[in-house]
Amino acid sequence: MTGLPAPPPSPPTRRQGFQPGRLLFGLIVVAVGMGWLLQAFDVTEVPWDVILPSVLILIGVVLVATAGWGGGQGGLITLGIVLTVVLLAGTVVDVPFRGGVGDRTYTPVTATGRTYELAVGNLTLDLTDSGLPTPVPSRIGIEAHVGVGQLLVIVPASFVSVDVHAKAGIGQTNVFGRTQSGFGVDYRSQGTNDSAPLLHLELSVGIGQVEVRRV
């Protein structure tokens, strides 16, 4: 009785080679996450305006160097696209990478000149319970800036004269119902000094929406 032919030998298992792109992607995710965490807990102020362009350059170098290696670099490419969009918005609007991450609401008791900043998230500035300083100035200037997210300013009817300068690198501005959308949005509304004080709002968002609402 003739025996059955022996099965062909199994092909040797190929070990996946070293993937510098994946390693770099992992390191970047860990580093950025640690940076956001440290800044969110006010441990230190991270210089994102320097770090993000440097990371984008490093991604480009690795992609060029490993172009002939094969293998997926989807994660690294996606990260590079996201950073490019953020930095592109920063060429139109001064995108703040300060102020932390999350949702913040400020309800100042007295309307005085001050700057509010948030890196990523929703920032709400509610002026409905804000009184006027003594003596009453002819002009009150308030600034608020968000990197990525939404900026909402609620203005009470007691401020009769309001002057708004709202900018969005990529996104939308909605000032008292007047909406503009697109890239490099720059909206200005002129108030008058007929009823003091004149409230001047200097508002911007890198990517997202600026809204000014009256109640």
Side-chain angles (χ1 to χ4, degrees):
M1 182 175 181
T2 306
L4 296 176
S10 301
T13 303
R14 293 185 60 185
R15 297 184 60 185
Q16 190 173 14
F18 175 64
Q19 296 290 332
R22 294 183 180 180
L23 176 61
L24 177 62
F25 179 77
L27 292 176
I28 290 174
V29 171
V30 172
V32 171
M34 291 181 62
W36 283 123
L37 184 64
L38 292 175
Q39 185 164 298
F41 284 97
D42 295 327
V43 176
T44 183
E45 190 70 29
V46 181
W48 296 108
D49 53 343
V50 176
I51 292 178
L52 294 185
S54 302
V55 170
L56 184 59
I57 293 173
L58 183 59
I59 290 175
V61 170
V62 171
L63 289 176
V64 171
T66 60
W69 288 36
Q73 302 284 7
L76 208 58
I77 293 174
T78 301
L79 181 59
I81 293 174
V82 171
L83 290 179
T84 300
V85 171
V86 172
L87 294 175
L88 183 62
T91 62
V92 181
V93 175
D94 184 15
V95 178
F97 296 106
R98 304 170 297 276
V101 179
D103 296 337
R104 305 288 171 84
T105 299
Y106 297 96
T107 56
V109 176
T110 304
T112 56
R114 185 180 168 184
T115 300
Y116 302 86
E117 291 184 331
L118 183 65
V120 178
N122 300 320
L123 173 61
T124 300
L125 179 59
D126 189 348
L127 303 176
T128 53
D129 294 328
S130 299
L132 298 177
T134 304
V136 177
S138 60
R139 182 180 185 275
I140 297 175
I142 296 178
E143 294 188 25
H145 309 284
V146 173
V148 179
Q150 182 184 41
L151 170 59
L152 170 63
V153 180
I154 303 174
V155 180
S158 56
F159 288 100
V160 178
S161 183
V162 182
D163 179 18
V164 181
H165 182 202
K167 300 173 65 177
I170 301 175
Q172 181 186 82
T173 61
N174 184 348
V175 180
F176 302 135
R178 298 182 177 180
T179 303
Q180 293 184 359
S181 304
F183 178 79
V185 180
D186 192 330
Y187 176 86
R188 295 177 184 267
S189 67
Q190 296 296 326
T192 63
N193 288 312
D194 296 339
S195 179
L198 171 66
L199 176 63
H200 176 75
L201 299 176
E202 192 73 28
L203 313 173
S204 71
V205 61
I207 302 175
Q209 182 192 48
V210 176
E211 181 180 0
V212 182
R213 184 189 307 165
R214 189 186 287 278
V215 295

